[in-house]
Amino acid sequence: MKRKIVYPGQVLSENEKQAGTGTYVQEGKVYSLFYGVANDKNRVTVVPFKGKYIPSPRDYVIGYVIEVTSSNWIFDIGSPYDGLLHVSEYPKRVDSSMMRKEIGIGDCAILRIKDVNTSMKVELSMKDRGLGLLDEGRIIDVSTTKVPRIIGHNGSMVSMLKKESNCDIFIGQNGRVWLKGKDEDMNRLTQAIEIIESKSHTSGLTNHISAFLRYEESDEIEEKEKPVPFTSSKKDYTEDACRKVDVLLSDEDEN
């Protein structure tokens, strides 16, 4: 099977061992979870045309803290399912009484998804190199289905974006992108990413975006409103988060 458009519930394989992201297994057969594009290069996977981010182990994401308990920071990771960062997965030892001072509600961080169980409890980690809090730069949101295009084949697109924009950039699998650089460079890079989203299906896109970032085609691009820079100001998510805490922490004592 080559790349093709599929619909939810469509049979994709008779071999359950081929099941990948965006699929489910029933009675030994692999079915599509989404309306999207299926590929069987290694395993059978489906990339949805639209939809919320569905967490998978080993994904790197950007999240906002929405609640703090005695042993977990709870993160909004842009998914129907919030993520739990247990204090044991923080890079240094933190006493429970100091957790809110270490990471507070509204703080933003780059994290790795450690595990997702069958009930969609999402466990996070901050122990890998390059993970941690973000207190500078800007966060922009993109469609999760466009993330592979923004990264490019073997990282070709994101490498070019870094070079031509003079900005640091991190692309979370959950569709949140962190930028750090001079304001004018971040504004230009934000526009470039918006172009990639809108023209992701076109060929020669890497060269077009490279030229745009070098101001060679600026008169062809419609000027867009500057995005609001990211700040680390606290947000009051407590009321919404409290409705989720009991479910998320039902087995917290096991950690």
Side-chain angles (χ1 to χ4, degrees):
M1 181 182 74
K2 296 181 179 180
R3 289 166 58 100
K4 68 176 185 179
I5 295 175
V6 297
Y7 54 85
Q10 181 174 340
V11 177
L12 304 180
S13 173
E14 302 285 334
N15 182 359
E16 63 180 78
K17 293 182 178 179
Q18 286 191 300
T21 56
T23 69
Y24 67 95
V25 175
Q26 187 173 337
E27 297 181 355
K29 296 182 180 180
V30 181
Y31 297 83
S32 174
L33 266 174
F34 308 111
Y35 173 55
V37 177
N39 195 333
D40 68 349
K41 186 176 182 180
N42 295 309
R43 293 180 132 199
V44 180
T45 61
V46 178
V47 177
F49 289 127
K50 292 183 179 181
K52 286 281 190 177
Y53 166 68
I54 304 300
S56 294
R58 296 182 298 278
D59 279 358
Y60 290 91
V61 299
I62 295 175
Y64 296 94
V65 177
I66 58 174
E67 185 56 281
V68 184
T69 73
S70 60
S71 58
N72 283 280
W73 290 279
I74 303 178
F75 281 82
D76 168 4
I77 55 172
S79 166
Y81 314 100
D82 294 329
L84 296 173
L85 176 64
H86 192 264
V87 67
S88 64
E89 289 297 323
Y90 190 65
K92 66 180 183 180
R93 184 179 178 83
V94 179
D95 186 83
S96 60
S97 63
M98 299 298 293
M99 288 181 62
R100 287 182 179 270
K101 291 185 178 180
E102 191 72 22
I103 307 178
I105 292 175
D107 285 347
C108 185
I110 298 175
L111 310 117
R112 174 175 59 84
I113 294 182
K114 180 182 177 183
D115 189 37
V116 181
N117 67 16
T118 55
S119 61
M120 295 307 294
K121 177 184 177 183
V122 182
E123 297 181 15
L124 304 171
S125 178
M126 202 187 281
K127 284 189 171 181
D128 291 0
R129 182 178 178 182
L131 305 184
L133 293 174
L134 298 173
D135 54 9
E136 297 180 274
R138 176 183 300 173
I139 304 292
I140 62 173
D141 292 320
V142 301
S143 169
T144 56
T145 62
K146 305 298 184 181
V147 166
R149 193 68 178 98
I150 298 171
I151 294 174
H153 182 64
N154 291 327
S156 58
M157 181 70 83
V158 70
S159 296
M160 181 275 295
L161 292 174
K162 290 179 181 179
K163 178 182 177 182
E164 299 295 351
S165 68
N166 297 313
C167 291
D168 290 329
I169 178 172
F170 176 85
I171 303 170
Q173 292 297 126
N174 60 336
R176 289 178 180 157
V177 181
W178 172 73
L179 315 176
K180 181 184 175 184
K182 295 180 180 178
D183 284 344
E184 58 268 29
D185 291 335
M186 289 193 292
N187 290 340
R188 191 76 173 169
L189 179 54
T190 299
Q191 287 184 302
I193 291 172
E194 290 172 349
I195 295 170
I196 295 171
E197 278 199 278
S198 63
K199 298 186 176 183
S200 61
H201 59 286
T202 61
S203 60
L205 187 58
T206 301
N207 291 335
H208 175 75
I209 296 300
S210 178
F212 169 74
L213 288 170
R214 293 197 303 268
Y215 293 88
E216 293 179 7
E217 297 179 3
S218 58
D219 56 342
E220 296 182 10
I221 307 299
E222 181 181 355
E223 189 68 17
K224 297 187 178 182
E225 183 179 353
K226 293 181 180 179
V228 179
F230 164 74
T231 65
S232 59
S233 60
K234 304 293 188 286
K235 299 179 182 179
D236 185 9
Y237 291 97
T238 305
E239 182 178 351
D240 178 62
C242 285
R243 292 196 293 267
K244 306 173 184 177
V245 171
D246 289 341
V247 174
L248 287 168
L249 302 182
S250 60
D251 53 353
E252 177 181 329
D253 292 340
E254 297 177 6
N255 289 323

